[in-house]
Amino acid sequence: MHLFTLSLGRWQFHPGVWPTLAAAVFAGLTFSLGNWQMDRAAYKRELQARIDAGERLPAWQVGAAPVNKSHVLYRRVIAEGKFDTRYQILLDNRIHDGIAGYHVLTPLILDNGYRAILVNRGWLPVGKNRDTLPPINTPTAQVKITGVAVDPDTRYFELSSAPPKNHVWQNLNFKSYAAWSGLNLHPFVLQQSNDSGDGLLRVWPRPDTGVDTHWSYAMQWYGLCATLVTLWLVLNVKRKPIDGAAH
């Protein structure tokens, strides 16, 4: 069964139904994957641009008053208070220079004692094994923390099906954490940048890292899409039979 026939001189284009449907499905899929990679690259560039713009603004002093997340997100933030290690968690499988480790997230109880900020204090290696958690040096006195307000509702902080064990979480779901801790949290995670003498590593990668990789993958998917379309066209073009050649 064929869809149609187009003739041009001694050649005719005579596509079959099933090959055409298969080509359309796979060409559409590869084109969509190319678009997805381009969207990821654009998202990362936009996010880095927002962070760069936020760094040029004055630092936001966060206190007891509620804040609009859209106003403070990706800006430099200053907060003062005391860490509460009762609700400190470790995010597992955070890699730095090829070494497995944790991100240490500790709530900072602000001066008023009513509201808190969840602070990503930095990275530390797993150690000899996962059965014993590495020691974490947490300041007990009043501290001033500076950093960047980041969005907790991202893929990086997505919910994992694995339940937390011994305060080790595979990923962070912000609402689940707030319910678990019972703390009245500001609606962002503070990514700490200043040194508080805890020995944690705070080398935060740029969000636009990997943009070239996304672009490269997109070109590969687009190239595969073009190849599929070209093959469909070429394989369905045939020379017309010459009258009487079959007799």
Side-chain angles (χ1 to χ4, degrees), residues 80-90 104-111 113-121 136-143 145 167 177-178 180-185 192:
E80 296 185 44
K82 291 185 177 181
F83 285 120
D84 186 348
T85 57
R86 295 176 301 166
Y87 304 110
Q88 178 170 277
I89 65 172
L90 304 180
V104 180
L105 274 68
T106 313
L108 182 73
I109 309 301
L110 301 178
D111 284 343
Y114 170 70
R115 203 176 295 273
I117 296 175
L118 186 58
V119 180
N120 189 342
R121 297 168 52 202
I136 301 171
N137 180 18
T138 302
T140 57
Q142 179 97 352
V143 292
I145 301 299
H167 289 234
Y177 176 84
W180 172 74
S181 66
L183 297 172
N184 185 14
L185 293 165
Q192 183 179 347

Side-chain angles (χ1 to χ4, degrees), residues 59 133 222:
L133 295 179
Y222 289 145

Side-chain angles (χ1 to χ4, degrees), residues 149-178:
V150 298
D151 193 349
D153 299 319
T154 63
R155 290 189 175 190
Y156 180 80
F157 294 111
E158 67 188 354
L159 175 64
S160 170
S161 58
K165 182 180 179 181
N166 297 330
H167 289 234
V168 176
W169 296 43
Q170 294 302 311
N171 288 287
L172 172 67
N173 179 282
F174 197 66
K175 291 182 180 180
S176 296
Y177 176 84

Side-chain angles (χ1 to χ4, degrees), residues 13 16 44 83 104 123 139 144 149-150 180 193 244:
F13 182 55
K44 285 189 173 183
F83 285 120
V104 180
W123 179 89
K144 177 184 287 188
V150 298
W180 172 74
S193 58

Side-chain angles (χ1 to χ4, degrees), residues 13 223-237:
F13 182 55
L224 182 55
C225 177
T227 300
L228 289 169
V229 173
T230 301
L231 286 174
W232 174 73
L233 290 171
V234 171
L235 293 177
N236 286 286
V237 173

Side-chain angles (χ1 to χ4, degrees), residues 7-8 15 34 65 71 74 84 95 120 124 130 136 144-145 170:
S7 297
L8 182 62
H71 292 166
Y74 308 122
D84 186 348
I95 308 299
N120 189 342
L124 82 167
R130 293 183 178 274
I136 301 171
K144 177 184 287 188
I145 301 299
Q170 294 302 311

